Amino acid sequence: MKLTSIGADVSNNDVSCSQSMINNIEKAIPKLLDIGANKAALTNITGDDLVISAFVPDNKLETINKAIVEILRENAEDIGDIAGISETPDGAGEGISYAEAKINQERYPDAVILAFDTYGGEPFIKNVVKSSIDAATGMENITDIGGGVNGTVKIPGVGYVSDETDDPVVVATIEDIESVGVVAGAMVGAALGNKNVYLVKRGTPSHVIPGSVIMSVSAYMNGNVMDLAVPLSQRMRILG
């Protein structure tokens, strides 16, 4: 069993996702359940980027990935990142973002999903993502970590995208519900320690000074999506 998360900019502007596009994509997601996904949802909405995530059996990974891209393509306001997908590494361009992680099938499938939106492909995003992955690496009760900025990537069932892809997704699958907040807090804190990185609520437009990166964080727990931005920001407040 795996968690697969695919993110894309298919908006008709560089700042936000329209409510109509969000609604259309959410209406289409049950198709993923019909073809074999255990759970599927629109997990992150970050500026003009959307992330669809699904818990899938290993033998359905390629089928579900392909169907996720088709949902994005069919409901896109602009072909955007879909155009960067290629059947060969040489033809790959700036495309969709991909993260994949193994799940412990003896437990409910829980995960933390971070999604990033760069306005102008800010190069320091690589350091931001590396920080969040490094923070989670080696922590207790994590099954697997996936995603990030890893050069040219082959997405099973879809094709190749290049290292120009600049709105990455990072996922960590969790084995203990009480560890969700611990892992998310570590990953978010590490990312925010970098310059010009801002945590936003799910669906917040990219209203920041250019040269900045925004990020959202979701808990995906047995198919239920929780936006962790507000509870984490409240826990991080200084009291007194």
Side-chain angles (χ1 to χ4, degrees):
M1 181 81 77
K2 286 187 169 67
L3 169 70
T4 182
S5 294
I6 293 179
D9 170 7
V10 289
S11 174
N12 63 3
N13 66 72
D14 294 325
V15 177
S16 63
C17 296
S18 70
Q19 191 60 51
S20 60
M21 183 174 68
I22 291 169
N23 292 343
N24 290 337
I25 288 175
E26 288 184 324
K27 288 177 182 176
I29 283 177
K31 296 177 184 177
L32 301 175
L33 305 179
D34 295 339
I35 60 174
N38 286 29
K39 303 286 184 180
L42 179 59
T43 52
N44 294 62
I45 306 168
T46 320
D48 62 354
D49 285 88
L50 298 163
V51 177
I52 297 176
S53 302
F55 295 114
V56 303
D58 290 356
N59 63 353
K60 292 285 186 179
L61 180 64
E62 293 189 4
T63 300
I64 299 301
N65 283 347
K66 183 177 180 180
I68 289 174
V69 173
E70 283 307 305
I71 288 173
L72 292 168
R73 188 191 307 273
E74 291 169 0
N75 295 281
E77 295 174 340
D78 184 287
I79 198 65
D81 289 340
I82 305 294
I85 301 170
S86 171
E87 294 183 358
T88 63
D90 291 342
E94 179 181 342
I96 62 176
S97 301
Y98 183 65
E100 172 192 317
K102 297 187 295 291
I103 290 170
N104 184 345
Q105 291 180 241
E106 296 179 359
R107 297 179 179 270
Y108 284 113
D110 296 336
V112 171
I113 303 170
L114 273 63
F116 300 86
D117 178 27
T118 62
Y119 188 85
E122 286 74 12
F124 65 86
I125 186 62
K126 295 181 179 180
N127 295 329
V128 177
V129 170
K130 184 178 184 301
S131 296
S132 65
I133 292 173
D134 288 349
T137 301
M139 294 187 73
E140 293 184 359
N141 299 315
I142 289 182
T143 306
D144 197 15
I145 303 169
V149 183
N150 301 305
T152 298
V153 174
K154 181 181 181 181
I155 303 175
V158 176
Y160 294 86
V161 293
S162 78
D163 57 2
E164 295 176 15
T165 300
D166 56 11
D167 297 319
V169 178
V170 177
V171 301
T173 47
I174 314 296
E175 298 187 8
D176 174 21
I177 191 171
E178 293 188 2
S179 295
V180 169
V182 178
V183 174
M187 296 178 77
V188 168
L192 292 176
N194 290 269
K195 66 176 184 179
N196 299 341
V197 181
Y198 299 92
L199 178 63
V200 299
K201 292 189 291 185
R202 184 179 185 270
T204 301
S206 182
H207 290 160
V208 291
I209 296 171
S212 302
V213 169
I214 63 172
M215 62 180 292
S216 66
V217 55
S218 297
Y220 194 23
M221 304 169 64
N222 197 27
N224 302 299
V225 180
M226 297 174 57
D227 179 12
L228 293 182
V230 173
L232 281 177
S233 65
Q234 291 173 341
R235 291 293 295 272
M236 292 176 183
R237 290 176 60 192
I238 297 174
L239 300 179

